Amino acid sequence: MQTFLEILNPSFLLFPALLGSSVLGLVCPLVGAYLILRRTVFLGLTLPQIAGAGVAFAFWLHQMGLLSNMGGSERTVGMVGSLLFTFFGMGLLGYLEHRGKGLGEGRLAAAYSLAGALTILFIVFNPAGEVEILSLLKGEVIALSRTEIKILLGVFGLVLAGMLLFRREFLLASFDRDLAFLLKGGNLFWDITLYLLAGLSIAIGVIMAGPLLIFGFLVLPPLAARPLVRGMTSFLSLSSLLGMLMAFFGFYLSIRLDLPLGPTDVTLGCGLVFLAYGLSRVSTKIGAALLSLIFVAVSVTSCGTTTPTTPLPEAKALNNQTLWVAKVKNSTGLSLLLPATNPLRSLAEMAGKISSDYRQSVMDLLRDDLRRELEQRGFRIDLPEKTDARFPAFPADSGGAVRLAREGKLSGLIFTSEIWRWEADSRQFVRVFADFKLIRIDDGTVLWERRIQRAVPTPSATNSGQASTDAATAIVQDLFAG
């Protein structure tokens, strides 16, 4: 388990993700605050959905070969589609608003529905890229590379500079349009400038973080700040501050509890809104005191030390009993088969001429690494299936493992492993949740146990199979490091 101070270290594996979400938490609430002042908060929901449709459309064209000459990564293709659809959608909505066609809420609702439907249709038209599209639409901030972080910093730095430089003009045009017309002679220029900055931040943010997280950062911090302040400057400042807190503590809870970052941030943001309206019911001094106590309590809990792990007992201390290394149990619901390395055999497998049984799995990798490491530590290793080929994978539950061992007439020690989660969505890391136990068969005593629940770095991997291979090796090294 990482403490809050550990994740702030730049050498931390997921520090780029923390930096990226913090930038979103700083800038997006400023954009959302103006949308709230203009009473166009649903624009913050509609534009991310339109941007998502642009991502799916760009991938469909790329699959058809119309964008095959455009270089760059998958995110680059998606970014182009996101920008085009976002600015086109904003221009069309602005034109309809200027012409006074229909109700504003009705236009946004229709645009949101159409964008959602088009996103699904573009994905259906492009089944070959469905996984990539869904991955981009989901928006994994936690998988951002350093190059993408630089792009994020550049774009949102530009948006932040614009928001600060034209703060008075934007406030005047958003809060009192009649006065702005008298003083400035018109609002069109400032409306266009504000919406260009908003569209740029939303289009890039969606491809980097996904529609859900962008909408959460746009709307939730300003909603939480609104009942706590009276002035416009304090409203904007507190919105950014709450956005940063939402990003920091949402990231920490995501790492600590092994939860997806986007939904965690949004849930925490909703909690901030409820907390803000609750504090607004009491006096300012009492509210400030309660907020300070909550912050101190969370900080103290977050910065606490981690519990040291118990080292694996030595083979001599266990009287050199036979250690049965059981098959690793897969409880993920997925096959976890590694991609075939031989293209001819892959083609034969797809044609049905060769069974896929020959393909190695994550469970095989992990078990081989465990067996090799335990042998080096002096244990006398044996495999249950050598005694009886019908032996299944043993669960990490000590009661079930001991029962299977006794039914198979095994004696000595049993080493069990059970994988609950294994996601190699990115080449940079693999999300792992697995349990490991060393159990004495005679009396069912658990002599040693470890739980791995974290993102395992795989910086040298070139594909998902290599990432799983590197992750299995890293997990075994981590298991016995203490």
Side-chain angles (χ1 to χ4, degrees):
M1 292 292 186
Q2 281 78 19
T3 66
F4 192 72
L5 293 179
E6 288 175 341
I7 67 174
L8 294 177
N9 191 333
S11 62
F12 180 58
L13 169 68
L14 301 179
F15 182 79
L18 174 61
L19 181 60
S21 59
S22 299
V23 171
L24 295 175
L26 173 66
V27 180
C28 286
L30 291 177
V31 178
Y34 290 111
L35 296 180
I36 290 177
L37 290 176
R38 289 169 171 262
R39 296 177 177 84
T40 56
V41 65
F42 287 109
L43 189 64
L45 178 63
T46 304
L47 288 179
Q49 189 64 47
I50 293 175
V55 174
F57 179 72
F59 265 86
W60 177 43
L61 293 182
H62 187 70
Q63 181 66 25
M64 293 176 63
L66 299 179
L67 298 179
S68 58
N69 295 328
M70 188 179 72
S73 62
E74 296 172 350
R75 284 187 184 271
T76 303
V77 175
M79 198 177 299
V80 172
S82 178
L83 285 168
L84 290 177
F85 266 58
T86 299
F87 286 118
F88 175 78
M90 288 183 63
L92 182 59
L93 290 172
Y95 172 77
L96 294 176
E97 181 180 1
H98 180 71
R99 297 295 299 272
K101 300 295 183 180
L103 295 175
E105 293 83 356
R107 289 192 295 270
L108 293 176
Y112 178 84
S113 301
L114 178 61
L118 289 177
T119 302
I120 296 174
L121 290 177
F122 290 143
I123 292 176
V124 172
F125 294 156
N126 180 24
E130 181 177 355
V131 176
E132 291 81 1
I133 296 173
L134 294 177
S135 177
L136 287 174
L137 291 179
K138 186 172 62 174
E140 282 288 354
V141 180
I142 204 167
L144 291 179
S145 65
R146 295 189 180 275
T147 302
E148 291 164 345
I149 287 293
K150 292 179 181 179
I151 296 175
L152 190 67
L153 289 174
V155 171
F156 279 82
L158 175 64
V159 173
L160 179 61
M163 290 293 172
L164 296 178
L165 185 62
F166 305 120
R167 177 177 60 87
R168 294 182 179 179
E169 289 79 4
F170 290 159
L171 278 175
L172 194 60
S174 301
F175 187 71
D176 195 334
R177 299 182 64 81
D178 294 333
L179 180 59
F181 180 81
L182 293 175
L183 295 178
K184 301 293 182 179
N187 299 315
L188 181 60
F189 174 78
W190 299 115
D191 288 345
I192 293 176
T193 304
L194 176 60
Y195 284 131
L196 283 176
L197 293 175
L200 183 63
S201 61
I202 290 173
I204 300 300
V206 164
I207 198 65
M208 298 290 185
L212 175 64
L213 186 56
I214 290 300
F215 178 67
F217 276 129
L218 284 172
V219 175
L220 297 177
L223 288 179
R226 193 171 185 178
L228 299 177
V229 295
R230 295 182 180 179
M232 289 298 166
T233 301
S234 55
F235 172 54
L236 295 175
S237 302
L238 186 58
S239 295
S240 286
L241 177 60
L242 292 178
M244 290 285 288
L245 292 176
M246 176 178 162
F248 270 103
F249 286 100
F251 181 84
Y252 170 75
L253 292 175
S254 173
I255 296 299
R256 183 100 185 198
L257 303 178
D258 193 29
L259 299 173
L261 181 58
T264 304
D265 279 342
V266 172
T267 302
L268 181 60
C270 292
L272 287 176
V273 174
F274 289 124
L275 178 61
Y277 275 91
L279 293 177
S280 66
R281 300 294 182 179
V282 299
S283 64
T284 305
K285 292 183 178 180
I286 297 176
L290 290 175
L291 189 61
S292 300
L293 287 175
I294 293 173
F295 180 76
V296 170
V298 173
S299 300
V300 170
T301 303
S302 302
C303 296
T305 58
T306 57
T307 304
T309 57
T310 304
L312 182 75
E314 295 183 359
K316 294 181 180 179
L318 299 176
N319 300 322
N320 290 322
Q321 299 181 72
T322 300
L323 176 57
W324 303 92
V325 180
K327 295 178 181 177
V328 178
K329 185 175 178 60
N330 178 12
S331 298
T332 64
L334 305 173
S335 63
L336 298 186
L337 292 175
L338 300 179
T341 56
N342 188 330
L344 296 178
R345 299 194 71 174
S346 299
L347 292 174
E349 179 186 342
M350 288 187 291
K353 297 180 179 180
I354 297 180
S355 172
S356 62
D357 293 341
Y358 73 92
R359 290 173 61 184
Q360 198 175 26
S361 68
V362 170
M363 291 72 72
D364 298 328
L365 289 175
L366 194 55
R367 191 191 192 193
D368 291 342
D369 288 338
L370 286 170
R371 178 182 178 182
R372 190 179 305 110
E373 182 67 26
L374 291 169
E375 285 178 343
Q376 292 177 358
R377 289 177 174 268
F379 285 95
R380 188 155 50 92
I381 303 300
D382 208 341
L383 304 179
E385 61 269 26
K386 288 185 177 181
T387 303
D388 191 336
R390 295 173 298 177
F391 265 114
F394 281 56
D397 171 57
S398 58
V402 169
R403 185 181 68 255
L404 283 175
R406 290 175 180 174
E407 290 176 355
K409 298 180 180 180
L410 301 181
S411 61
L413 309 171
I414 185 74
F415 192 98
T416 64
S417 312
E418 187 164 4
I419 301 175
W420 301 97
R421 182 182 185 184
W422 191 282
E423 297 177 0
D425 295 335
S426 170
R427 298 173 187 173
Q428 301 174 10
F429 63 89
V430 178
R431 295 176 183 268
V432 177
F433 180 14
D435 286 322
F436 304 87
K437 289 182 180 179
L438 176 63
I439 307 169
R440 184 186 290 121
I441 298 175
D442 295 340
D443 55 8
T445 302
V446 178
L447 303 174
W448 173 88
E449 60 182 327
R450 281 290 305 275
R451 169 169 287 182
I452 300 293
Q453 186 176 3
R454 64 185 181 88
V456 181
T458 57
S460 61
T462 57
N463 52 63
S464 60
Q466 185 62 49
S468 293
T469 303
D470 294 347
T473 303
I475 288 171
V476 173
Q477 293 176 351
D478 186 25
L479 273 178
F480 306 120

